[in-house]
Amino acid sequence: MISYLEFEKPVAQLEARIAELRSAAEGDDVDITKELERLEVKSADLLASTYSSLTPWQKTQVARHPSRPHFRDFVEHIFDDFIPLGGDRNYGDDEAILGGFARLDGRRVVLIGHEKGNDTESRIRHNFGMGKPEGYRKAIRLMELAGRFGLPVVTLVDTSGAFPGIEAEERGQAEAIARSTEACLALPTPMVATIVGEGGSGGAVALASAERVLMFEHAVYSVISPEGCASILWRTAEKAPDAAEAMRVTAQHLKKLKVIDRIVKEPVGGAHRDPEAASKTLGKAIGQELDALAKMSSDEIRRMREERFLQIGTN
């Protein structure tokens, strides 16, 4: 069953009506095929028009949808021969950040990303995608392996931010994030990062400092959550919609500001309505970027990475 967001209520009511008609028509001699077809077309048109004009706050809600595909879903639908690697060789393993070797259409890659989980148990196990220092140090270790073996790196970013708990700070959260960002920038092999859901704060940047940054159509990317920004500026989280608008968190805004390089289309109604189709589209886009980058030398890649960050916000 689809979990409807607040702004999708008109669509939900129409689809409920369609379901009622289907149920009532079972075993009935009355032919309501044409009426059902009319309502289905109306529902599809309403869904398309709703998603064609989402506000930044509504896109934030879509990016956080509980059924939105996460790291493990993309591994299932896009990548082959995934071999997970765990641990930072210092403290322990962090299940909020996963990674290892994989294949994308035959290409060998190092894959790293946030995993939020898809039910209560898995969300708690993966800490809702909020990485701890050992997670970012694991990412650094994987990037170093990629450099050693000459493999491109693909990252899937989906986090509200790095874990802000006391124990994370005690283990050097800020230092781990900074060094992970540094590892991205120093990587001698191609790197393609994609914001697939939420790209929150330094916890996202630490895995997204690549020469090519892609972003799903209804994902969001910002230095702080809209609620956090509203709490600071207006002393109330109720102003989150205003904060989201002011912060320019959407893919469309960020493409204009040159924060990201490419927007990846989602199925009508968001990636959560058809995770497999969304994954296939993403896999194709990543493959195209890797093909283009494969022709470049290490020096050219690093220079490209440096230039793209210096150009952010310029005309």
Side-chain angles (χ1 to χ4, degrees):
M1 290 182 64
I2 296 173
S3 175
Y4 292 95
L5 299 168
E6 183 67 25
F7 66 84
E8 294 180 307
K9 278 187 175 179
V11 177
Q13 292 169 354
L14 195 52
E15 292 189 352
R17 175 60 179 158
I18 293 171
E20 287 175 4
L21 281 176
R22 280 207 184 99
S23 180
E26 289 181 4
D28 201 324
D29 294 333
V30 180
D31 186 6
I32 59 169
T33 303
K34 289 186 178 179
E35 177 65 11
L36 277 173
E37 288 177 351
R38 184 185 71 81
L39 289 176
E40 286 170 349
V41 170
K42 184 177 179 181
S43 176
D45 289 344
L46 180 58
L47 184 66
S49 64
T50 298
Y51 271 78
S52 67
S53 57
L54 295 181
T55 67
W57 177 239
Q58 288 170 336
K59 282 183 178 286
T60 302
Q61 293 175 283
V62 176
R64 296 171 175 172
H65 196 285
S67 299
R68 194 170 179 84
H70 300 305
F71 183 89
R72 291 191 180 278
D73 300 299
F74 295 118
V75 169
E76 178 184 352
H77 295 306
I78 306 176
F79 298 92
D80 299 311
D81 303 329
F82 178 58
I83 303 174
L85 299 176
D88 66 346
R89 299 298 187 267
N90 181 39
Y91 178 82
D93 191 31
D94 179 16
E95 292 202 59
I97 297 177
L98 304 180
F101 296 111
R103 289 185 183 274
L104 174 64
D105 293 331
R107 306 175 191 82
R108 293 177 61 214
V109 302
V110 169
L111 177 65
I112 310 170
H114 300 93
E115 173 58 57
K116 285 186 170 180
N118 54 18
D119 56 28
T120 301
E121 181 183 350
S122 62
R123 285 170 187 146
I124 292 172
R125 185 172 72 252
H126 294 292
N127 200 34
F128 299 87
M130 295 186 292
K132 297 177 182 177
E134 50 270 26
Y136 292 104
R137 292 184 178 120
K138 173 167 63 176
I140 294 168
R141 187 168 71 86
L142 292 174
M143 283 186 264
E144 288 174 347
L145 283 175
R148 189 181 308 163
F149 294 119
L151 299 176
V153 173
V154 175
T155 62
L156 304 175
V157 178
D158 189 9
T159 180
S160 58
F163 184 60
I166 293 175
E167 63 270 33
E169 297 298 334
E170 289 174 341
R171 295 199 294 274
Q173 183 72 290
E175 182 265 350
I177 289 173
R179 290 199 179 276
S180 183
T181 305
E182 180 186 36
C184 292
L185 296 173
L187 191 68
T189 57
M191 181 176 182
V192 177
T194 304
I195 316 299
V196 295
E198 284 186 279
S201 192
V205 173
L207 297 186
S209 297
E211 66 273 16
R212 295 296 291 175
V213 180
L214 283 54
M215 190 168 172
F216 259 142
E217 181 183 5
H218 302 307
V220 292
Y221 192 19
S222 61
V223 70
I224 190 174
S225 70
E227 295 94 330
C229 177
S231 296
I232 292 170
L233 295 182
W234 293 288
R235 299 292 190 270
T236 173
E238 292 180 3
K239 288 282 189 176
D242 296 325
E245 182 71 43
M247 288 162 51
R248 303 292 190 265
V249 300
T250 70
Q252 294 71 26
H253 284 131
L254 297 172
K255 179 71 164 58
K256 291 178 182 178
L257 292 170
K258 299 181 182 178
V259 175
I260 65 166
D261 304 292
R262 178 173 176 174
I263 298 173
V264 180
K265 293 286 289 183
E266 297 185 29
V268 176
H272 58 278
R273 288 179 177 268
D274 194 342
E276 184 172 356
S279 299
K280 297 297 183 185
T281 302
L282 177 61
K284 183 177 180 181
I286 293 173
Q288 290 170 348
E289 298 294 343
L290 289 176
D291 285 343
L293 293 170
K295 304 170 185 176
M296 302 174 69
S297 68
S298 294
D299 288 340
E300 288 174 324
I301 287 170
R302 288 196 185 99
R303 187 161 52 249
M304 180 181 180
R305 209 173 284 153
E306 178 182 347
E307 289 174 353
R308 81 166 303 281
F309 282 98
L310 291 175
Q311 290 173 359
I312 287 177
T314 62
N315 293 324

